[in-house]
């Protein structure tokens, strides 16, 4: 309680001292709190306004996009993709709506290669391809391995 009161007092004297209000505003928006409630709390000094929340979300999105782009360009990243299905059920069935409520989606993940991996460690892809059983031009590799 003391922390909230101090944060409100600090925000009242300095508009940039709004860490608690920013976190609370982002939380309220992520939980789908109505804009009228958020703006009311902003007028009380408990939250930031919906316009400020939208600016913050846009800035965080741009920062995330830039970080992902830098990670991708570093070539020290790995990609993972997954297909998944979502059933979108309607509570009120109507004649106009189709029964095709199954949506097929793909998600992607870009994550950094860690534990000291360097670009030189990744320069073996050509050698791996030359030795791969999936390579049709690879010579003498399609011999079946003998089982012991």
């Amino acid at each position: 309680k003391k922390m909230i009161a101090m944060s409100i007092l600090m925000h009242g004297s300095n508009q940039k001292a709004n860490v608690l209000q920013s976190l609370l505003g982002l939380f309220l928006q992520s939980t789908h709190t109505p804009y009228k409630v958020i703006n009311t709390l902003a007028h009380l000094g408990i939250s930031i306004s919906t316009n400020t929340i939208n600016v913050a979300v846009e800035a965080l999105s741009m920062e995330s996009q830039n970080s992902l782009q830098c990670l991708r360009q570093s070539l020290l990243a790995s990609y993972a993709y997954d297909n998944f299905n979502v059933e979108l059920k309607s509570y009120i069935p109507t004649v106009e709506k189709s029964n095709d409520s199954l949506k097929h989606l793909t998600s992607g993940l870009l994550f950094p290669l860690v534990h000291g991996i360097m670009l030189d460690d990744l320069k073996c892809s050509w050698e791996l391809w030359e030795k791969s059983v999936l390579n049709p031009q690879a010579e003498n590799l399609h011999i079946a391995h003998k089982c012991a």
Side-chain angles (χ1 to χ4, degrees):
K1 293 179 183 181
K2 292 178 185 178
M3 177 77 153
I4 294 173
M6 286 297 294
S7 293
I8 293 171
L9 290 173
M10 287 174 51
H11 181 62
S13 64
N14 183 356
Q15 292 292 316
K16 293 187 178 191
N18 62 354
V19 174
L20 176 72
Q21 289 82 359
S22 298
L23 291 174
L24 188 57
L26 290 169
F27 172 76
L28 291 171
Q29 186 182 32
S30 71
T31 56
H32 306 290
T33 304
Y35 280 171
K36 287 184 179 183
V37 174
I38 296 173
N39 284 330
T40 301
L41 292 173
H43 286 295
L44 294 172
I46 298 172
S47 174
I48 55 177
S49 69
T50 54
N51 290 337
T52 306
I53 293 170
N54 292 335
V55 168
V57 168
E58 190 172 320
L60 289 171
S61 297
M62 288 301 296
E63 185 178 328
S64 176
Q65 182 179 355
N66 290 339
S67 295
L68 287 173
Q69 187 172 10
C70 288
L71 176 61
R72 178 184 57 84
Q73 290 175 348
S74 75
L75 302 178
L76 293 173
S78 187
Y79 297 83
Y81 296 98
D82 189 22
N83 296 325
F84 60 98
N85 301 321
V86 177
E87 181 82 33
L88 302 172
K89 296 182 180 180
S90 175
Y91 292 109
I92 304 170
T94 60
V95 176
E96 294 86 26
K97 292 184 180 178
S98 73
N99 291 334
D100 187 20
S101 60
L102 183 65
K103 301 297 177 195
H104 307 284
L105 304 171
T106 301
S107 67
L109 176 67
L110 175 66
F111 56 94
L113 299 175
V114 292
H115 303 297
I117 294 178
M118 306 300 285
L119 280 177
D120 287 338
D121 299 333
L122 303 175
K123 292 185 177 179
C124 62
S125 60
W126 183 253
E127 183 178 344
L128 289 173
W129 177 244
E130 286 179 338
K131 295 179 180 180
S132 173
V133 295
L134 301 174
N135 183 355
Q137 283 94 22
E139 296 178 15
N140 301 327
L141 291 177
H142 304 291
I143 301 170
H145 296 287
K146 296 181 180 179
C147 297

